[in-house]
Amino acid sequence: MSTALHNLVNQPYKHGFVTNIETESVPKGLSEDVIRMISGKKNEPEWLLDFRLQAYRHWLTMNEPDWANVDYPRIDFQDIIYFAQPKPKKQLASMDEVDPELRRTFEKLGVPLHEQKIMAGVAVDVIFDSVSVTTTYKAKLAEVGIIFCSFSEAVREHPELVKQYLGSVVPSGDNFYAALNSAVFTDGSFCFIPKGVKCPMDLSTYFRINTEGSGQFERTLIVAEEGSSVCYLEGCTAPQFDTNQLHAAVVELVALDNADIKYSTVQNWYAGDENGKGGIYNFVTKRGLCKGVNSKISWTQVETGSAITWKYPSCVLLGDNSTGEFYSVALTNHLQQADTGTKMIHVGKNTRSKIISKGISAGRSSNSYRGMVKVGSRATGARNYSQCDSMLIGDRCEASTFPTIDVQNTTATIEHEASTSKIGEDQMFFFAQRGIGSEEAISMIINGFCKDVFVHLPMEFAVEATKLLGLKLEGSVG
Amino acid sequence: MISKDSRIMLEVKNLHAEVGGIDILKGVDLTVRAGEVHAIMGINGSGKSTFSKVLAGHPDYHVTGGTATFEGKDLFALEPEERARAGLFLAFQYPVEIPGVSNSALLRLAYNTLQTERGLEELDPLEFEDLVHEKIKVVEMDPSFLGRSVNEGFSGGEKKRNEILQMAVLEPKLAILDETDSGLDIDALRIVANGVNSLLTPDNAVVMVTHYQRLLNYIVPDYVHVMDGGRIVRTGGKELALELEARGYDWLRAAA
Ligand SMILES: Nc1ncnc2c1ncn2[C@@H]1O[C@H](COP(=O)(O)OP(=O)(O)OP(=O)(O)O)[C@@H](O)[C@H]1O
Ligand SMILES: [Mg+2]
C-alpha cells in the first residue's frame, strides 16, 4: 500500500454517525451498537429493533451447532460485515440498468431477469448483497391485493402484517443461525396473498452476495391467507472470493386454511475452488407452518453451490388434513460438504408428508441427508413417505443418511426407502460405445436420478437445474 | 458375402493387449471387408470379449502392441465415442442397466449424435418416435420397452434384443456382437438373427462372437475364426463351425 493510500485508509473517524449513513457498509463486527445502526439506517420502528436486540441477546447465550456432518474452522463472527449496501447509484429503476456482469450471472442461471421473460409472467425481487434492488410487477400484483416487496418496504408499508407473522414460524431464538439472522437481517422479500387469491404468476427472488467479507442475512416471509395459493422461486449466486462468506437466511411460510404454498430454490452460491478455498457457508433456516386445515406447503430445492450447506426446509403440519412435501436434489463436488434434509412435524389429524431426497456426491465431497419425521400424539391417521437416494460418482466421495422417526401415535403410517448407487465405469463405457460423450452421459444419468424432484420445479428452473448439474460435474468422471 | 475387391473395413495386425497387468491378447490378426460376416469362436476365457472391448476402446484394457485400422483410420487414436461415431458398434455380452434413463431417450440421443456427426438433421422426439417404431419391428420387441429404463429389470434375453434394437437404430458400419445369442430362447434367436440379417448390406459387416453353431444356421458366416490363448489359431469357412460342433476344441488347441 502506498503511503498516501495508507494514510487515507487509516484516517481517523472524522464525520460521525450522520456521515456514516452515507457509506456503503457498517464496520465489521457485531454488537448492540451495530444492530442499532442497521435498524437506524432503515428507520425501523421500535418493536423491530426490540425484536433484533432480543434475538441478539439470546444469540449471545447460544453455541454454534456442531451436530451436523460438516467440518470447518470456527467462524469469527466479529470479522463479518453485517450490512453492505450498494451505493445509491446502483439502486435501479429498470431492468436495463442492472449491472451487465450481474445479469450475465443471472442469465447463466436462467434467471428470467430480462424483459421478455418477465413478460412471460415472473415477478422478480432482486436482493443484491443485503438490499432489495428492484421488484417488478408490483403494481400488477397489487390489483389483486397481493403484496410482493422487499422486507424493508413491508416494514414501512405493512408493519401490522410483518409484526403479526415475523418470528411466528421461526422464533428469533430458534437456533444459533436463526437468532443471528433475527438480530442482523437487513432485507429480504415479503409476500402476502390475500384470501381466495390464486397468485397469477410465479413470484421470484434472486439473492446475490457481492461484497467480499460481507455476510448475507436475508429474511423471507410469505403468508398465504385462506384459500389462496402461490408459487415462489428463489435463486442465489455469489462471485468467487478466496475467503468464506456466511449466508444465514431465514425463510418463514405461513399457510392458512386451504392455502397452498410452493417454494422452489435453485441454490448456486459459490462453492469454493477445487481445493476447497473460498465459497459460501450456507446456514439457512427454512420452515413452513401449515396453520390451517387442508393447507399445503411444498419445498423443492436444488442445492449445487456453497462450500458448506446446512439446511433443513421443514413443515409443521398443524392444521388437520394439511400436507407437507420436500423434494430435494443436493449435489456436492470437490470438497463441498452438505448436510441437508427436512423435518416433518405432524401435529394435526390426517396430516400427510412426503420426502424425496436425491444426493449426488462427486470428487472428495461429503453429502448427508438428515431427516426427521415426527408424529405427535394428536396426529391420528398421519402418513409419511420418505425416499432417500444417494448417487456416488467416483470413489473418494461420501454419502450418508441420518433419518430419525419419532412416532407418538399408533395410527400413523410411516414408510422409508433408501438406496445408494454409483455411476460405474461400465455405464460410462456403454454410453461412449453408443457415441455419447461422458458429460452428456452423466447429465443423462443424473437427470434420470433427479427426475422425481425436477418434475416439481417450474419448467424454466428444471431446464436450468439440469444444465447446472451438468456444469458442476464437468470432468468428475473418467 | 466375400468379394475380394470390396473395401477393407477393419484390419487388425498382431494385436497385443493387457488388462489388470495380465497379457490377454497375444497377437491377433483379423481383416474384415465390407459385406462380410465373421464368426469368432473359442473356449471360455480365450480372449474373445477382450478383443471386442479393445476394439471398442474400453478404458480398462490397454493395447501393448500391434495396430488396427478402421475405415482407413488408426482405430487406437480414437476415443471410444469417436470409434462409435465412426460406425463401430459393440453389442455387449453383459449389457449394463442404466436406471432412470429411458430406452427411447438413450436411443434418440445416440441417434442424433450420429446424425450430427454425419452432418444430417437431428430428429425431434416425434419424428424419432416414428423411426424407432419402425426399427423395433426388426427385433419384434414390445414398444413398452422404449419407455422403460435401459435394461433395468430386463430378462437376459430382453437385454440382448435391446442391444440389437440399438444396432438397428444406429446402423453401424461394423457391428461386433458378443454372444448376442446366449440367453435367447429358440424363437427369440430366430427373430434376432433375422433382424441382424435384415440389417446386413454390402456396405457393412458383422463380427459375431458365439459358442453355438445354431446361430450360424441363421446368420451364415463367410469366415469362422477360432480364438485360443489370445490369438486366432484357425480360420475357415462355415463348415469349420460344424467341425467344432462335432469335435470340440481340443484337436485345435493341440495343434496350436
Ligand atoms: N477386467 C479384467 N480383469 C482381470 N482379468 C480379466 C479382465 N477381463 C478379462 N480378464 C481375463 O481375460 C481372459 C479373457 O477373458 P474374455 O472375457 O476375453 O474371454 P472370452 O473369450 O470372452 O470368454 P467367454 O467365452 O467366457 O465369454 C479371462 O481369463 C479373463 O478372466
Ligand atoms: Mg466373452
Side-chain angles (χ1 to χ4, degrees):
Chain A
M1 226 189 293
S2 75
T3 320
L5 195 58
H6 186 271
N7 290 341
L8 189 68
V9 170
N10 292 296
Q11 265 177 19
Y13 187 62
K14 280 201 286 208
H15 306 291
F17 183 70
V18 179
T19 323
N20 221 9
I21 289 178
E22 304 299 324
T23 64
E24 283 184 271
S25 52
V26 301
K28 271 184 187 174
L30 188 52
S31 64
E32 292 209 2
D33 283 348
V34 166
I35 291 166
R36 285 179 204 281
M37 204 187 291
I38 292 171
S39 193
K41 272 171 185 286
K42 304 181 79 66
N43 287 318
E44 285 177 354
E46 198 61 28
W47 61 264
L48 192 50
L49 176 62
D50 288 345
F51 176 86
R52 290 175 181 282
L53 290 174
Q54 201 187 341
Y56 175 67
R57 288 168 196 148
H58 196 126
W59 180 74
L60 286 176
T61 69
M62 300 172 95
N63 291 317
E64 223 177 311
D66 59 1
W67 42 262
N69 189 23
V70 296
D71 188 23
Y72 57 95
R74 285 204 80 78
I75 299 171
D76 179 357
F77 290 94
Q78 294 306 337
D79 196 36
I80 291 171
I81 299 168
Y82 286 90
F83 183 70
Q85 170 170 268
K87 284 178 187 151
K89 66 173 196 268
K90 280 191 187 161
Q91 297 211 331
L92 310 174
S94 107
M95 282 295 156
D96 297 336
E97 295 170 31
V98 173
D99 175 8
E101 158 66 16
L102 174 61
R103 282 179 59 169
R104 262 194 301 278
T105 316
F106 283 163
E107 260 155 35
K108 251 179 151 170
L109 245 183
V111 173
L113 196 66
H114 48 85
E115 292 294 337
Q116 302 141 324
K117 285 198 178 169
I118 289 165
M119 295 313 251
V122 180
V124 183
D125 184 21
V126 179
I127 312 289
F128 193 90
D129 280 332
S130 312
V131 171
S132 184
V133 177
T134 173
T135 305
T136 60
Y137 265 88
K138 205 153 56 183
K140 193 167 176 225
L141 293 166
E143 281 170 27
V144 286
I146 293 173
I147 303 167
F148 178 44
C149 62
S150 73
F151 205 89
S152 312
E153 188 180 329
V155 171
R156 282 196 306 274
E157 308 291 329
H158 311 281
E160 70 300 335
L161 283 174
V162 176
K163 196 173 173 183
Q164 183 181 351
Y165 290 107
L166 178 70
S168 70
V169 185
V170 180
S172 64
D174 185 80
N175 67 68
F176 186 80
Y177 296 110
L180 181 63
N181 173 288
S182 301
V184 302
F185 73 91
T186 41
D187 213 333
S189 283
F190 176 77
C191 173
F192 177 83
I193 318 289
K195 241 179 221 173
V197 172
K198 310 267 176 238
C199 186
M201 63 181 77
D202 292 353
L203 302 183
S204 177
T205 301
Y206 286 88
F207 295 113
R208 166 89 175 164
I209 298 179
N210 207 53
T211 309
E212 184 160 18
S214 73
Q216 177 147 332
F217 306 93
E218 82 275 351
R219 187 102 198 174
T220 303
L221 175 56
I222 299 174
V223 178
E225 280 199 330
E226 290 82 352
S228 70
S229 72
V230 62
C231 181
Y232 195 89
L233 322 175
E234 177 204 297
C236 327
T237 62
Q240 307 185 355
F241 292 127
D242 286 347
T243 50
N244 295 107
Q245 287 167 286
L246 178 62
H247 174 246
V250 171
V251 176
E252 295 179 280
L253 313 182
V254 182
L256 303 185
D257 290 356
N258 303 302
D260 191 335
I261 301 176
K262 202 167 152 34
Y263 193 106
S264 308
T265 308
V266 174
Q267 185 266 111
N268 187 26
W269 294 122
Y270 179 51
D273 69 8
E274 282 166 39
N275 303 311
K277 196 169 171 56
I280 304 287
Y281 291 168
N282 193 31
F283 300 152
V284 169
T285 305
K286 291 186 166 177
R287 193 174 304 151
L289 175 62
C290 284
K291 198 169 182 183
V293 297
N294 297 316
S295 56
K296 180 175 172 186
I297 288 177
S298 176
W299 299 100
T300 305
Q301 63 170 14
V302 178
E303 300 286 313
T304 69
S306 296
I308 301 177
T309 302
W310 180 96
K311 181 180 171 189
Y312 317 90
S314 304
C315 296
V316 179
L317 304 170
L318 189 64
D320 291 347
N321 302 313
S322 61
T323 305
E325 293 174 342
F326 175 73
Y327 302 103
S328 169
V329 169
L331 177 145
T332 52
N333 197 358
H334 304 306
L335 284 164
Q336 280 177 271
Q337 307 174 61
D339 192 300
T340 184
T342 185
K343 278 193 264 183
M344 293 291 173
I345 317 285
H346 293 255
V347 182
K349 290 191 184 63
N350 297 315
T351 45
R352 275 153 297 156
S353 64
K354 186 171 170 186
I355 298 169
I356 309 279
S357 161
K358 306 278 178 176
I360 303 160
S361 336
R364 283 176 288 162
S365 67
S366 146
N367 199 329
S368 304
Y369 168 80
R370 187 180 304 277
M372 174 186 246
V373 176
K374 188 170 177 154
V375 178
S377 55
R378 293 192 295 114
T380 310
R383 273 183 295 158
N384 162 267
Y385 173 76
S386 303
Q387 186 188 331
C388 303
D389 299 322
S390 309
M391 178 171 278
L392 302 170
I393 303 176
D395 44 23
R396 292 187 302 165
C397 52
E398 194 190 299
S400 327
T401 48
F402 303 100
T404 307
I405 297 170
D406 174 2
V407 179
Q408 287 156 26
N409 185 305
T410 50
T411 63
T413 317
I414 308 282
E415 273 178 88
H416 184 97
E417 285 176 30
S419 77
T420 302
S421 53
K422 198 170 170 167
I423 298 188
E425 198 173 54
D426 280 337
Q427 288 179 329
M428 295 307 291
F429 180 59
F430 170 76
F431 276 102
Q433 218 307 300
R434 297 301 180 254
I436 299 168
S438 62
E439 260 141 46
E440 272 184 301
I442 289 178
S443 118
M444 227 182 177
I445 294 174
I446 293 293
N447 253 321
F449 181 67
C450 301
K451 196 160 55 190
D452 298 344
V453 172
F454 285 173
V455 294
H456 296 281
L457 285 174
M459 188 60 178
E460 281 187 340
F461 258 38
V463 172
E464 288 315 314
T466 306
K467 278 195 217 150
L468 193 58
L469 295 190
L471 212 67
K472 289 275 165 180
L473 287 173
E474 236 164 56
S476 57
V477 174
Chain B
M1 186 206 352
I2 305 177
S3 159
K4 281 283 168 251
D5 40 70
S6 78
R7 73 176 196 282
I8 291 179
M9 199 170 249
L10 176 73
E11 188 162 46
V12 179
K13 285 185 182 157
N14 196 27
L15 177 62
H16 288 68
E18 60 97 21
V19 57
I22 309 161
D23 294 326
I24 309 290
L25 301 185
K26 297 169 182 165
V28 181
D29 293 293
L30 179 69
T31 300
V32 178
R33 291 169 187 271
E36 292 178 349
V37 175
H38 291 243
I40 299 180
M41 305 182 80
I43 63 160
N44 296 135
S46 56
K48 304 179 298 295
S49 293
T50 301
F51 179 53
S52 313
K53 288 185 201 167
V54 167
L55 293 181
H58 194 293
D60 284 354
Y61 297 77
H62 305 114
V63 175
T64 51
T67 58
T69 55
F70 177 61
E71 295 286 51
K73 283 184 229 150
D74 176 2
L75 184 66
F76 299 141
L78 303 178
E79 293 296 325
E81 58 269 31
E82 293 171 328
R83 299 181 198 190
R85 291 175 202 158
L88 182 81
F89 179 92
L90 171 59
F92 290 88
Q93 182 175 1
Y94 304 108
V96 290
E97 302 191 357
I98 319 275
V101 174
S102 80
N103 236 346
S104 59
L106 169 88
L107 285 167
R108 191 163 75 87
L109 180 59
Y111 180 84
N112 280 336
T113 305
L114 271 185
Q115 289 290 99
T116 307
E117 177 82 11
R118 293 166 182 166
L120 300 170
E121 284 283 299
E122 293 192 6
L123 295 188
D124 66 35
L126 287 178
E127 294 167 327
F128 184 74
E129 183 148 326
D130 290 344
L131 177 103
V132 83
H133 277 91
E134 274 313 301
K135 298 290 187 180
I136 203 168
K137 291 178 188 157
V138 170
V139 285
E140 298 183 25
M141 247 165 90
D142 191 294
S144 67
F145 281 95
L146 293 171
R148 287 173 59 178
S149 292
V150 178
N151 293 328
E152 194 183 30
F154 285 28
S155 75
E158 288 164 352
K159 286 181 183 170
K160 296 304 181 71
R161 267 198 217 208
N162 206 25
E163 295 289 288
I164 302 306
L165 170 62
Q166 291 160 32
M167 173 182 168
V169 168
L170 300 178
E171 299 185 329
K173 289 183 181 151
L174 176 66
I176 303 167
L177 312 182
D178 191 357
E179 295 199 30
T180 299
D181 54 333
S182 299
L184 290 177
D185 67 47
I186 295 163
D187 289 344
L189 177 67
R190 184 177 38 76
I191 290 163
V192 166
N194 287 341
V196 171
N197 276 329
S198 76
L199 297 171
L200 289 177
T201 72
D203 266 335
N204 60 23
V206 173
V207 175
M208 299 177 292
V209 174
T210 183
H211 288 294
Y212 307 107
Q213 144 67 24
R214 202 176 56 225
L215 172 71
L216 307 182
N217 290 336
Y218 294 109
I219 309 174
V220 182
D222 299 306
Y223 297 98
V224 173
H225 310 277
V226 177
M227 185 168 275
D228 189 44
R231 250 193 303 258
I232 287 175
V233 294
R234 175 69 68 108
T235 294
K238 62 175 190 276
E239 61 294 337
L240 177 58
L242 291 167
E243 197 173 359
L244 292 170
E245 182 96 337
R247 297 175 65 188
Y249 288 105
D250 275 356
W251 61 283
L252 271 176
R253 309 196 72 199

